[in-house]
Amino acid sequence: TKDRYQSNDYAGVVTGLAWTAVGGEILFVESSLSRGKGSKLTLTGNLGDVMKESAMLAMEYIHANADLLDIDPAIFEHWNTHIHVPEGAMPKDGPSAGITMVTSLASAYTQRKVRKKLAMTGEITLRGKVLPVGGIREKILAAKRAGITDIILCKENEKDIREIKPEYVEGLNFHYVEDVKQVLEYALLDEKVDNPKVFTIPEEKA
Amino acid sequence: TKDRYQSNDYAGVVTGLAWTAVGGEILFVESSLSRGKGSKLTLTGNLGDVMKESAMLAMEYIHANADLLDIDPAIFEHWNTHIHVPEGAMPKDGPSAGITMVTSLASAYTQRKVRKKLAMTGEITLRGKVLPVGGIREKILAAKRAGITDIILCKENEKDIREIKPEYVEGLNFHYVEDVKQVLEYALLDEKVDNPKVFTIPEEKA
Amino acid sequence: TKDRYQSNDYAGVVTGLAWTAVGGEILFVESSLSRGKGSKLTLTGNLGDVMKESAMLAMEYIHANADLLDIDPAIFEHWNTHIHVPEGAMPKDGPSAGITMVTSLASAYTQRKVRKKLAMTGEITLRGKVLPVGGIREKILAAKRAGITDIILCKENEKDIREIKPEYVEGLNFHYVEDVKQVLEYALLDEKVDNPKVFTIPEEKA
Amino acid sequence: TKDRYQSNDYAGVVTGLAWTAVGGEILFVESSLSRGKGSKLTLTGNLGDVMKESAMLAMEYIHANADLLDIDPAIFEHWNTHIHVPEGAMPKDGPSAGITMVTSLASAYTQRKVRKKLAMTGEITLRGKVLPVGGIREKILAAKRAGITDIILCKENEKDIREIKPEYVEGLNFHYVEDVKQVLEYALLDEKVDNPKVFTIPEEKA
Amino acid sequence: TKDRYQSNDYAGVVTGLAWTAVGGEILFVESSLSRGKGSKLTLTGNLGDVMKESAMLAMEYIHANADLLDIDPAIFEHWNTHIHVPEGAMPKDGPSAGITMVTSLASAYTQRKVRKKLAMTGEITLRGKVLPVGGIREKILAAKRAGITDIILCKENEKDIREIKPEYVEGLNFHYVEDVKQVLEYALLDEKVDNPKVFTIPEEKA
Amino acid sequence: TKDRYQSNDYAGVVTGLAWTAVGGEILFVESSLSRGKGSKLTLTGNLGDVMKESAMLAMEYIHANADLLDIDPAIFEHWNTHIHVPEGAMPKDGPSAGITMVTSLASAYTQRKVRKKLAMTGEITLRGKVLPVGGIREKILAAKRAGITDIILCKENEKDIREIKPEYVEGLNFHYVEDVKQVLEYALLDEKVDNPKVFTIPEEKA
Ligand SMILES: [Ca+2]
Ligand SMILES: [Ca+2]
Ligand SMILES: [Ca+2]
Ligand SMILES: [Ca+2]
Ligand SMILES: [Ca+2]
Ligand SMILES: [Ca+2]
Ligand SMILES: [Ca+2]
Ligand SMILES: [Ca+2]
Ligand SMILES: [Ca+2]
Ligand SMILES: [Ca+2]
Ligand SMILES: [Ca+2]
Ligand SMILES: [Ca+2]
C-alpha cells in the first residue's frame, strides 16, 4: 500500500524516497537510542549490504561530527543506536537512503524536530559529500502523491528535475545540496520534539 | 494439531495469529528473563530473519519506553531476555507477530497478567506505530475456533474485517489500534500474575 | 548397534527416545558443568538447529526456575554447561529431546540421581509446557527392547499409546505430563549420586 | 607416506589409528598449552565437525575431571590449549580419535610420558564412556606395520579382533576399556617427560 | 559518471586509480577517526576480500610505523578507524588501492594535507614494499581526463608508462617509488588541513 | 612476474618456496608486531584454510617455545601479530610454508636478521617436527633462478634432491632438518637488524 507523509512528532523519523520495480515510494527511516554498554549499532528492516553500509557511514559521520550538532561525545559510549526502515517484510537495498539516515540519527541524538512535509534522497560519503542517485522521476512523483512539499536532492540531480514536465513538479520545492552539513541545516528545526528524551551519562567513579 | 487458547496464568505468554499455507492458526509467544551479564536477547522457535527482526524491534521498544511501563532501566543491564515461539519444529517468519512480541515482553518485564481470551496480529515499527498485516480472514477464523473472544488489529485492517461474513465474526470483539501504546493499554491488566518474579539489581559497589 | 539402558550412576545422564528412518532407538543426553567465566552453553553430538534450540530452552528453563530445584543462581555465573548426545557421528535433530535435556541439566546441577530404567520423550516450551511428539510407537518398542520399564510422555500422546497392541506395552508404565515440573518431580530422585560434585562460587571481593 | 611410531619424548603427543579409503594409518594427536587470557581451545589439522566435537568433549572431560589427574583447575583460566593432528593438508573427520585426544590433553596438562609403542582408537562421551568404532581390522594392520605393540580399544570392539587371523595380530597386546579412566590409567606413565613445562598461575592481587 | 579531481581540503581523502571492465576511473579513498574503546577498523564501499586485506595492511603499516609520522601510538587504543571508498553501490576489489589507503590513513591520523592534483596506484606489502599493478594505460588516461597532474606508481610500472604514446601522458608527472616511505614523503604536505581534528587521549587514572 | 631474492634488511621477512600450476616460485612471508590488547593474529595474502592453520601452528610454536628464543612471554599479551604473504591477488594454500612462517615470526619477535640468500619449504607440526612437502624439483629450480644459495628442507625430502640432475642443483647448498629448532638455529643470525624495534611492556599497576 502507498504510504502518505505522516508528521514530524517523533524525533528520529525522516521520510526518504525509494525506487523499486513497481515505481517510486516514500519510506520512513526511524532511529532510536537506548542505554547500554557501548556504541552498538543495530539495523533492522530487511536491509541489504549496501544499505547497511550507508547506515554505518551515517553513524560514523554523526560520531565524527558531533560538535557540529552539539552532541556530547560521551553519549556514544553509553547509548546504543537502532535504525529501522519499515516495512519489515520488504527487502531494501542501495545507497540512496544515506542522507535520510544521517538526518534520522541527527534528529534522534539532538531530539530536534525534522522539517514538515520534507523528503530526501541521496548517497553520503564518509567525509560528508552528497552523491547523486537514480530513479529521480519516479521518486518525485511518489513524494508529491504522498503529500510532500519539500525535497532535498544532490546538486548533481538538478538536471534530472529539469527533465520532468513542469506540471509534475508543481507545488514541490527542491533543495539542492553538495554536503551533509547543508542537509542537516535545512532538515533539522531548532525546535525540539515534545517530551524530548534526555541522554544521561553515568558519573565517572572518582 | 490445532491449538486452543490456554490461560493467562503465565507472565510473558501472549496469543498471536499466524497464517500459513494450510490456513490460519493461533500461536503463543513466550518471554522469560534470567539473571546475567547484560542485555542479551535469545530467540528460539525456528524463526526466520524477518521475525527475528520483529523481536529485536519489540525489545528495543520496551528498552526505549521503559518509563511508560514503570520498568526500572537497570533491569536491562542485569537480566537477559529469551523469546520463544512454539512449536520448535515449525519454521515461522514474517513481521506480523510484532505486537504479540512487544506485549509478551511487556508482560514478562512487569509480571502483569495478559487479558483473557485475547489474541493479536500486527507489525510494529521502531517508534511504536502499528502496521497492517495480511491473512486477516484466515487468522480470525482460527482465533474463533480456538476460543478467542477479543482481537487486537491495526486500524488499517478494519476494512478486512468488514469484508468477512457477519456470522463468522459473531462473538468476536475487535480492538483497532495505531500505536503500540494502545496495544499495551488494552492487553495488559493491572493485576500481576501469581507469585510474580522479582527482578533484583545488584547493589552498586561503593 | 542397539543400545541398552545402562544405569543411573552418573548425574546428568538421562535416557531419551529417538525415532529415525530405521525405527526407534534410545539415546543418552549427558550434561556436565565446569568452572569458567560465565554461563556458556556448549552443545555437541552432531545436533541440528531445532535440537540445539531445545537445549537452549532447557538451559533457560533451569536458569529461570532455579528456586524450584534449590539451585544457587550464582552457579550460573561461575560454571559453564556442556550438553552432549552420543554417538558423535550420527546427525540428530527435532524438538522431542526437550524434556530429556531439561532433566539431564536438572540432575547435573543438583547432582540428584535419575530414576532407574526411565526413558522419556517430549518437546518443551519456554514456560515449561510439555508438547506431544511423533513416532511414539517406534520409540516405545525401542524402549522396551532396551530394558526400560518407565516412560514419561506428554498427556496429548496418551492416545498414541492406546493405539498400540497391549502385548507390546506389557511391562511398561506410562507417566503422562503437561508441565516440566511434573517431569522433574517424577524423574529426579532425592538421593544424590555417589561422590557428588560440589559447585563452588568464588567469594565476592570486599 | 606411511608413518611409523616415533617416541614418547614429547608430552601431549599420542598415537591414534585412522581408517581411510586407502586403508588404515597411524596418526599423531599433538596438544600444547600456552599462557593466555582464558580457556581458549584451538583446533588445527583440517578437522571436520565431528572430530572438532571430539576435541571439545576431550577438553571438557579433562576440565571436569581435573582432580582425577591432579591438575590445578586454575591452570584452565590462565592457559590456552591447542590440539593439532598432522598432516595439515589431509582432511580428517569422525569420532574415533576421542580417546587419543583425551590422552593427549591429559599428558600435556600433567607433562607425564605416554606409554611406549602404544596406539589407541575409540569414541568418548561426555561422562567418559568409551564407545566402539569401525575399521578395526585395517587400523590394526596399520598399527603393526608402524611398530606399535600395544593397542587400546573399546570392550565392544573385542569381537572385531577375534575375527582377525591370529598371525595378523601376533605381537600385539590389546587392552579393552569401557571408561576413559581405564585409558588414562594404562596410557599415562607416572614418569614426567624431560624438562617438563611448569604451568604457572599469576598470583591473585590482594 | 566520470568523476573529476576535487580538492585537498579534507584530511584523509586521497585519489586512487581503478581499472574496470569499462576502462580506467579515479576513485576516492576516505578515512575518518572516531573516539571508541579500541583499535577497531571499519571498512565500507562494497569492498571485496583482497581490497579489505589491503586496508588491513595499510592500517597495520601505520600502526607499526607510527614514529615515522609522529603519531602518538596511544591514539590507536582510543580511536577507531573507518575507511570508505565511494560509490557504495559499485563492487570494488583488488590490491591496487594499497598505497592510496595507506596515504589516506596517514593523512587522517596526522591531519596533514594531501598534495594537490595527485593520484596513485600500487599494491603494498606489510614491510612497506610497493608492488606493480595492472591496467596502467587505462588508469593514466582516466587520471588525465579527471584533471590530475601528478601520479605515484611503483618503479616496476615505469616500463608500462614508456609504452604509452607521449601525447597521452603530456602534462602528467610520474613519481616512481619502491617503498611506502617514498609515497608518504611525496604525497603528504607539511601543512595541516584547516581546523584539524585533535585526537585526545584520556588521562591515565592514577 | 618472477621475483628475485631481495635482502635480509627487514626483520620478519623470510623467503619461502611455492609450487603452482605454472611451476615453482619464491614467495616472501612477512611478519610484523604492533601494540594492542592481546595476542591477536591477523593473516592476509589471500590464504586458504590449510595455510592459515600453518600460521596458527607457527604462532603457537613461538608462544610455547619463547624461552628457546629468549622472548619475554609478556610480549604476547601486549603485542598483536600480523603475517602477510604477498602478492595480495594470488590465492595461496597448503602446509608447505610452515617453517617459513615460524622463521618469519621468530625473526620479527627477536629482531634478529635472517641468513642471506636463504629459502626454505617444509610443513611444521605443533611439537616442532618438520614434515616433507611436494614439488621439490620445481621449487629448487625457482630458488636457483631467483638467486638463492642455501635451502632448508625436511630430511625426508633429501631423496627428492638426489633425483634432480646435478647441474640443476649446482651452486645450491641443502640443509636437511627434522625439527624446527634446527631451522631456527641455521636461519636466524645472532646479529639484529638495523634499528631493531623494541617491544615494550606496560608496567604492572602496583
Ligand atoms: Ca509501503
Ligand atoms: Ca531515500
Ligand atoms: Ca499448532
Ligand atoms: Ca501474530
Ligand atoms: Ca545407537
Ligand atoms: Ca527424546
Ligand atoms: Ca601419513
Ligand atoms: Ca584414532
Ligand atoms: Ca564514478
Ligand atoms: Ca588505486
Ligand atoms: Ca610473483
Ligand atoms: Ca614455502
Side-chain angles (χ1 to χ4, degrees):
Chain A
T1 69
K2 296 303 182 187
D3 293 298
R4 290 193 54 81
Y5 172 75
Q6 297 181 350
S7 82
N8 66 348
D9 292 347
Y10 289 91
V13 181
V14 182
T15 309
L17 298 171
W19 176 39
T20 71
V22 297
E25 239 188 313
I26 67 168
L27 54 74
F28 305 101
V29 174
E30 304 179 325
S31 296
S32 173
L33 274 64
S34 61
R35 275 296 309 271
K37 284 171 188 175
S39 33
K40 197 177 60 164
L41 176 60
T42 303
L43 304 173
T44 53
N46 216 333
L47 311 183
D49 285 347
V50 171
M51 199 161 182
K52 279 181 185 162
E53 288 195 348
S54 282
M56 290 160 73
L57 282 168
M59 189 71 231
E60 187 72 20
Y61 183 87
I62 294 293
H63 206 143
N65 296 277
D67 55 343
L68 197 79
L69 292 155
D70 274 323
I71 299 169
D72 178 354
I75 293 179
F76 300 115
E77 295 173 40
H78 298 282
W79 290 80
N80 293 321
T81 308
H82 190 139
I83 302 178
H84 179 62
V85 188
E87 309 159 5
M90 190 208 308
K92 309 166 193 80
D93 207 353
S96 80
I99 61 173
T100 318
M101 282 171 157
V102 82
T103 306
S104 168
L105 287 173
S107 167
Y109 270 92
T110 61
Q111 296 288 306
R112 286 163 62 185
K113 278 196 163 183
V114 176
R115 189 175 291 275
K116 273 213 158 135
K117 301 196 175 174
L118 172 69
M120 60 186 71
T121 183
E123 177 174 353
I124 51 168
T125 83
L126 186 55
R127 85 190 102 151
K129 195 168 149 60
V130 178
L131 302 181
V133 297
I136 292 296
R137 188 187 145 86
E138 290 78 2
K139 287 172 171 178
I140 296 310
L141 297 183
K144 196 174 172 186
R145 195 173 55 224
I148 295 296
T149 60
D150 289 86
I151 292 175
I152 297 178
L153 294 174
C154 176
K155 185 98 180 88
E156 292 184 47
N157 279 127
E158 189 169 3
K159 63 179 192 313
D160 302 297
I161 297 299
R162 287 209 214 88
E163 289 169 4
I164 303 175
K165 272 197 189 162
E167 63 255 43
Y168 290 155
V169 294
E170 205 176 48
L172 288 176
N173 305 303
F174 296 96
H175 308 268
Y176 300 108
V177 297
E178 293 179 290
D179 191 286
V180 169
K181 283 192 190 70
Q182 297 168 294
V183 177
L184 298 178
E185 270 163 32
Y186 184 75
L188 287 188
L189 305 182
D190 287 339
E191 186 190 355
K192 295 209 170 186
V193 294
D194 290 349
N195 306 312
K197 278 190 95 156
V198 178
F199 302 118
T200 53
I201 311 294
E203 299 227 356
E204 285 295 316
K205 309 232 168 67
Chain B
T1 69
K2 296 302 183 187
D3 294 297
R4 290 193 54 79
Y5 172 75
Q6 297 182 349
S7 82
N8 66 348
D9 292 345
Y10 289 91
V13 180
V14 182
T15 309
L17 298 172
W19 176 40
T20 71
V22 296
E25 240 188 312
I26 67 168
L27 54 74
F28 305 102
V29 173
E30 305 178 325
S31 296
S32 173
L33 274 65
S34 61
R35 276 296 310 270
K37 284 170 188 177
S39 33
K40 196 176 62 165
L41 176 60
T42 303
L43 304 173
T44 53
N46 216 332
L47 312 183
D49 286 347
V50 171
M51 200 162 181
K52 279 183 185 160
E53 288 195 348
S54 283
M56 291 160 74
L57 283 168
M59 189 70 231
E60 187 72 20
Y61 184 87
I62 294 293
H63 206 144
N65 295 278
D67 56 344
L68 197 78
L69 292 155
D70 274 323
I71 299 169
D72 177 353
I75 293 180
F76 300 116
E77 295 173 40
H78 298 283
W79 290 81
N80 293 322
T81 308
H82 189 139
I83 301 178
H84 178 63
V85 189
E87 310 160 5
M90 190 208 307
K92 311 166 191 78
D93 208 353
S96 80
I99 60 171
T100 319
M101 282 171 156
V102 82
T103 306
S104 168
L105 288 173
S107 167
Y109 271 92
T110 60
Q111 296 288 303
R112 286 163 63 186
K113 278 196 162 184
V114 175
R115 188 175 292 275
K116 272 212 157 137
K117 301 198 176 173
L118 172 70
M120 61 186 71
T121 183
E123 179 173 352
I124 51 168
T125 84
L126 186 56
R127 86 190 102 151
K129 195 168 147 62
V130 178
L131 302 181
V133 297
I136 291 295
R137 188 187 146 87
E138 290 79 2
K139 287 171 172 178
I140 296 310
L141 298 182
K144 197 173 172 187
R145 195 173 55 225
I148 296 296
T149 60
D150 290 87
I151 293 175
I152 298 178
L153 294 175
C154 177
K155 185 96 178 92
E156 293 184 47
N157 279 128
E158 190 169 2
K159 63 179 193 314
D160 302 297
I161 296 299
R162 286 210 215 87
E163 289 167 4
I164 303 175
K165 272 197 189 162
E167 62 256 43
Y168 290 153
V169 295
E170 204 176 49
L172 289 175
N173 305 304
F174 296 96
H175 308 267
Y176 300 108
V177 297
E178 293 180 290
D179 191 285
V180 168
K181 281 190 191 72
Q182 298 168 294
V183 177
L184 298 179
E185 271 163 33
Y186 184 74
L188 286 188
L189 305 182
D190 287 339
E191 187 189 355
K192 295 210 171 188
V193 293
D194 290 349
N195 305 312
K197 278 190 94 158
V198 178
F199 302 118
T200 54
I201 310 293
E203 300 225 356
E204 284 296 315
K205 309 233 168 65
Chain C
T1 69
K2 295 302 181 187
D3 294 298
R4 290 192 55 79
Y5 172 76
Q6 297 182 349
S7 81
N8 66 347
D9 292 346
Y10 290 90
V13 181
V14 182
T15 308
L17 298 172
W19 175 40
T20 71
V22 298
E25 240 188 311
I26 67 168
L27 55 73
F28 305 102
V29 173
E30 306 179 324
S31 296
S32 173
L33 274 66
S34 61
R35 277 295 311 269
K37 284 169 188 177
S39 33
K40 195 176 63 165
L41 176 60
T42 303
L43 304 173
T44 53
N46 216 333
L47 312 184
D49 286 348
V50 172
M51 199 162 181
K52 279 181 185 161
E53 289 195 348
S54 282
M56 291 160 72
L57 283 168
M59 188 71 231
E60 187 72 20
Y61 184 87
I62 294 293
H63 206 145
N65 295 277
D67 54 345
L68 197 79
L69 292 155
D70 274 323
I71 299 169
D72 177 355
I75 293 180
F76 301 115
E77 293 173 41
H78 299 283
W79 290 80
N80 293 320
T81 308
H82 189 140
I83 301 178
H84 178 63
V85 189
E87 310 161 3
M90 190 208 306
K92 309 166 192 79
D93 207 352
S96 80
I99 60 171
T100 319
M101 282 170 157
V102 82
T103 306
S104 167
L105 287 173
S107 168
Y109 271 91
T110 61
Q111 296 289 302
R112 285 163 64 186
K113 277 197 164 182
V114 175
R115 189 176 292 276
K116 272 212 157 135
K117 300 198 176 172
L118 172 70
M120 60 186 71
T121 183
E123 178 173 352
I124 51 168
T125 83
L126 186 56
R127 86 190 101 153
K129 196 168 146 63
V130 178
L131 302 180
V133 298
I136 291 296
R137 188 187 145 87
E138 290 79 2
K139 287 172 172 177
I140 296 310
L141 297 182
K144 196 173 172 187
R145 196 172 53 225
I148 295 296
T149 61
D150 290 86
I151 293 176
I152 297 177
L153 295 175
C154 177
K155 184 97 179 90
E156 293 184 47
N157 279 129
E158 190 170 0
K159 63 178 194 312
D160 302 298
I161 296 300
R162 285 208 216 90
E163 290 169 2
I164 304 176
K165 272 197 189 160
E167 62 254 43
Y168 289 155
V169 295
E170 205 175 48
L172 290 176
N173 305 303
F174 295 97
H175 308 267
Y176 300 108
V177 297
E178 292 179 290
D179 191 285
V180 168
K181 282 191 192 70
Q182 297 167 294
V183 177
L184 298 179
E185 271 164 32
Y186 184 74
L188 287 187
L189 305 181
D190 287 339
E191 187 188 355
K192 294 211 169 186
V193 293
D194 290 349
N195 305 312
K197 279 190 95 159
V198 178
F199 302 119
T200 53
I201 312 294
E203 299 225 356
E204 284 295 314
K205 308 234 169 65
Chain D
T1 70
K2 296 303 181 186
D3 294 298
R4 289 192 56 78
Y5 172 75
Q6 296 182 350
S7 82
N8 65 347
D9 292 346
Y10 289 91
V13 180
V14 182
T15 309
L17 298 172
W19 175 39
T20 71
V22 297
E25 239 188 312
I26 66 168
L27 54 74
F28 306 101
V29 173
E30 305 179 325
S31 296
S32 173
L33 275 64
S34 61
R35 276 294 312 270
K37 284 168 188 178
S39 33
K40 195 176 64 165
L41 176 60
T42 303
L43 304 174
T44 53
N46 216 332
L47 311 183
D49 286 348
V50 171
M51 199 162 181
K52 279 181 185 161
E53 288 195 347
S54 282
M56 291 161 72
L57 283 169
M59 189 70 232
E60 187 73 20
Y61 184 87
I62 294 293
H63 206 144
N65 295 277
D67 55 345
L68 198 79
L69 292 156
D70 274 324
I71 300 169
D72 177 354
I75 294 180
F76 301 115
E77 294 172 40
H78 299 282
W79 290 80
N80 294 320
T81 308
H82 188 140
I83 301 178
H84 178 62
V85 189
E87 309 161 4
M90 189 208 307
K92 308 164 194 82
D93 207 353
S96 79
I99 60 172
T100 319
M101 282 170 157
V102 82
T103 307
S104 168
L105 287 172
S107 168
Y109 271 91
T110 61
Q111 296 288 303
R112 285 163 63 185
K113 277 196 163 183
V114 175
R115 189 175 291 275
K116 272 213 159 133
K117 300 198 175 172
L118 173 69
M120 61 186 71
T121 183
E123 177 173 353
I124 51 168
T125 83
L126 186 56
R127 86 191 101 154
K129 197 169 146 62
V130 178
L131 302 181
V133 298
I136 292 295
R137 188 188 144 89
E138 291 77 3
K139 287 172 172 178
I140 295 310
L141 297 182
K144 196 173 171 185
R145 196 172 55 225
I148 296 296
T149 61
D150 290 86
I151 293 175
I152 297 176
L153 294 175
C154 176
K155 185 98 179 86
E156 292 185 46
N157 279 128
E158 191 169 0
K159 64 179 194 311
D160 301 297
I161 296 300
R162 286 209 216 89
E163 290 169 2
I164 303 177
K165 272 197 190 163
E167 62 254 44
Y168 289 155
V169 294
E170 206 175 48
L172 289 176
N173 305 303
F174 296 96
H175 308 267
Y176 299 108
V177 297
E178 292 179 290
D179 191 285
V180 168
K181 282 191 191 70
Q182 297 167 295
V183 177
L184 298 178
E185 270 163 32
Y186 184 75
L188 287 188
L189 305 181
D190 287 339
E191 189 188 353
K192 295 209 169 185
V193 293
D194 290 349
N195 305 313
K197 279 190 93 158
V198 179
F199 302 118
T200 54
I201 310 294
E203 299 225 358
E204 284 295 315
K205 308 227 172 70
Chain E
T1 69
K2 296 303 181 186
D3 293 299
R4 290 194 54 81
Y5 172 76
Q6 296 181 350
S7 82
N8 66 349
D9 291 347
Y10 289 91
V13 181
V14 182
T15 309
L17 298 172
W19 176 40
T20 71
V22 297
E25 239 188 312
I26 67 167
L27 54 74
F28 305 102
V29 173
E30 305 179 326
S31 296
S32 173
L33 274 65
S34 61
R35 275 297 308 271
K37 285 170 188 175
S39 32
K40 196 176 62 165
L41 176 61
T42 303
L43 304 174
T44 53
N46 216 331
L47 312 184
D49 286 347
V50 172
M51 200 162 180
K52 279 180 185 162
E53 288 195 347
S54 282
M56 291 161 75
L57 282 168
M59 189 70 231
E60 186 72 21
Y61 184 87
I62 294 293
H63 205 144
N65 295 277
D67 56 344
L68 197 81
L69 293 156
D70 274 323
I71 300 169
D72 177 355
I75 294 180
F76 301 115
E77 294 173 40
H78 299 282
W79 291 80
N80 294 320
T81 308
H82 189 139
I83 301 178
H84 179 62
V85 189
E87 309 159 4
M90 190 208 307
K92 309 165 193 80
D93 207 354
S96 80
I99 61 172
T100 319
M101 282 171 157
V102 81
T103 307
S104 167
L105 287 173
S107 168
Y109 271 91
T110 61
Q111 295 289 305
R112 286 164 62 185
K113 277 196 163 182
V114 176
R115 189 175 291 275
K116 272 212 158 134
K117 301 196 175 173
L118 172 70
M120 61 186 70
T121 183
E123 177 174 352
I124 50 167
T125 83
L126 186 55
R127 85 190 103 152
K129 197 169 148 60
V130 178
L131 301 181
V133 297
I136 291 296
R137 188 187 145 88
E138 290 78 2
K139 288 171 171 177
I140 296 311
L141 297 183
K144 196 174 172 185
R145 195 173 54 225
I148 295 297
T149 61
D150 291 86
I151 293 175
I152 297 178
L153 295 174
C154 176
K155 185 98 179 86
E156 292 184 48
N157 279 127
E158 189 169 2
K159 63 180 191 314
D160 302 298
I161 296 300
R162 287 209 214 88
E163 290 169 3
I164 303 176
K165 271 197 188 162
E167 61 255 44
Y168 289 155
V169 295
E170 205 176 49
L172 289 177
N173 305 303
F174 296 96
H175 308 268
Y176 301 108
V177 297
E178 293 179 290
D179 191 285
V180 168
K181 283 192 190 69
Q182 298 168 295
V183 177
L184 298 178
E185 270 163 33
Y186 183 74
L188 287 188
L189 305 181
D190 287 339
E191 186 189 355
K192 295 209 170 187
V193 294
D194 290 349
N195 306 312
K197 279 190 93 157
V198 178
F199 302 118
T200 54
I201 311 292
E203 299 226 357
E204 285 294 316
K205 310 230 169 69
Chain F
T1 70
K2 296 303 183 187
D3 294 299
R4 288 193 55 78
Y5 172 76
Q6 296 180 351
S7 82
N8 66 347
D9 291 346
Y10 289 91
V13 181
V14 182
T15 308
L17 298 172
W19 176 39
T20 71
V22 298
E25 239 188 313
I26 67 168
L27 54 75
F28 306 101
V29 173
E30 304 179 326
S31 295
S32 173
L33 274 65
S34 61
R35 275 296 310 270
K37 284 170 188 176
S39 33
K40 195 176 63 166
L41 176 60
T42 303
L43 304 174
T44 53
N46 216 333
L47 311 184
D49 286 347
V50 172
M51 200 161 180
K52 279 180 185 163
E53 288 195 347
S54 282
M56 290 161 74
L57 283 168
M59 189 70 232
E60 186 73 20
Y61 184 87
I62 294 293
H63 206 144
N65 295 277
D67 55 344
L68 197 80
L69 293 156
D70 274 323
I71 300 169
D72 177 355
I75 294 179
F76 300 116
E77 294 173 39
H78 299 282
W79 290 80
N80 293 321
T81 309
H82 189 139
I83 302 178
H84 178 63
V85 189
E87 309 160 4
M90 190 208 308
K92 308 164 194 82
D93 207 353
S96 80
I99 60 172
T100 319
M101 282 171 157
V102 82
T103 307
S104 168
L105 288 173
S107 167
Y109 271 91
T110 60
Q111 295 289 303
R112 286 163 64 186
K113 277 197 162 181
V114 175
R115 189 175 290 275
K116 271 212 158 134
K117 301 198 173 172
L118 172 70
M120 61 186 71
T121 183
E123 178 174 353
I124 50 168
T125 82
L126 186 56
R127 85 191 102 153
K129 197 169 146 59
V130 178
L131 301 181
V133 298
I136 292 295
R137 190 188 143 87
E138 290 78 3
K139 287 172 171 177
I140 296 309
L141 298 182
K144 196 173 172 185
R145 197 172 54 224
I148 295 296
T149 61
D150 290 86
I151 293 175
I152 297 177
L153 295 174
C154 177
K155 185 98 178 87
E156 293 184 47
N157 279 128
E158 190 169 1
K159 64 180 192 312
D160 302 297
I161 296 301
R162 286 209 216 89
E163 290 169 3
I164 304 176
K165 271 198 190 162
E167 62 254 43
Y168 289 155
V169 296
E170 206 175 48
L172 288 177
N173 305 304
F174 296 96
H175 307 268
Y176 300 108
V177 297
E178 294 179 288
D179 192 285
V180 168
K181 283 191 190 71
Q182 297 168 296
V183 177
L184 298 178
E185 271 164 33
Y186 183 74
L188 286 188
L189 304 181
D190 287 339
E191 188 189 353
K192 295 208 170 188
V193 294
D194 290 348
N195 306 314
K197 280 191 92 158
V198 178
F199 302 118
T200 53
I201 312 292
E203 300 225 357
E204 286 294 316
K205 309 230 169 69

